[in-house]
Amino acid sequence: MTRLTGRALRLTVFVGEHDTLHHKPLYAEIVHRAHAAGLAGASVFRGIEGFGASSLIHTSRLLSLSEDLPVAIVIVDTEERVRAFLPQLDELVTEGLVTLDDCEVIRYIGRGDTPPEPPEPDSGGKNTEGKKAR
């Protein structure tokens, strides 16, 4: 179970949708390695338009240019865990951009957590002394 509340570090990796590693999407390899490293979570977002170091605009609006849309992989965890993951990114990302941002996590509850206790049955607006609650 992972609980993360308070200060954290957000790692964002920007790559192309068609960047690959061993014939698999690079973004998928980054997510799988983040999972194996025990990081709190990772999400992949596909952009609809953007450009990078090549200054070539990629867009989903024109069929001829929609072949390599931008992808952002976002990972949030403690600073120590994110920084420990950076050497793996050095192996994976040959062309792209990696950013680190301080952030604050309000709440993270993993899937393995038990759900909160249900509220007490409704007492019809009365308190325990039989008086109407205000």
Side-chain angles (χ1 to χ4, degrees):
M1 170 173 54
T2 303
R3 288 194 188 273
L4 182 63
T5 303
R7 302 208 37 91
L9 195 62
R10 179 178 50 225
L11 165 70
T12 307
V13 183
F14 297 93
V15 295
E17 180 180 32
H18 290 283
D19 291 349
T20 60
L21 181 73
H22 305 299
H23 307 292
K24 293 201 259 184
L26 178 59
Y27 62 83
E29 183 65 22
I30 293 170
V31 169
H32 288 274
R33 289 205 189 183
H35 183 261
L39 294 172
S43 296
V44 179
F45 300 94
R46 182 179 187 223
I48 58 172
E49 188 167 55
F51 70 94
S54 69
S55 294
L56 180 65
I57 293 180
H58 302 274
T59 178
S60 62
R61 291 182 291 147
L62 303 171
L63 289 177
S64 62
L65 297 177
S66 65
E67 296 170 358
D68 194 23
L69 294 172
V71 172
I73 305 104
V74 178
I75 299 168
V76 177
D77 207 319
T78 63
E79 181 173 359
E80 296 78 25
R81 295 177 69 112
V82 169
R83 290 196 183 277
F85 185 67
L86 290 177
Q88 291 197 54
L89 287 181
D90 288 340
E91 297 174 23
L92 299 173
V93 180
T94 57
E95 213 175 291
L97 177 68
V98 176
T99 64
L100 296 170
D101 302 292
D102 289 323
C103 64
E104 184 176 351
V105 174
I106 302 301
R107 183 176 88 176
Y108 175 82
I109 299 176
R111 291 185 186 155
D113 286 351
T114 56
E117 292 290 321
E120 294 290 323
D122 187 21
S123 62
K126 295 181 180 178
N127 64 18
T128 55
E129 297 174 356
K131 296 178 183 175
K132 203 65 157 155
R134 293 182 189 209

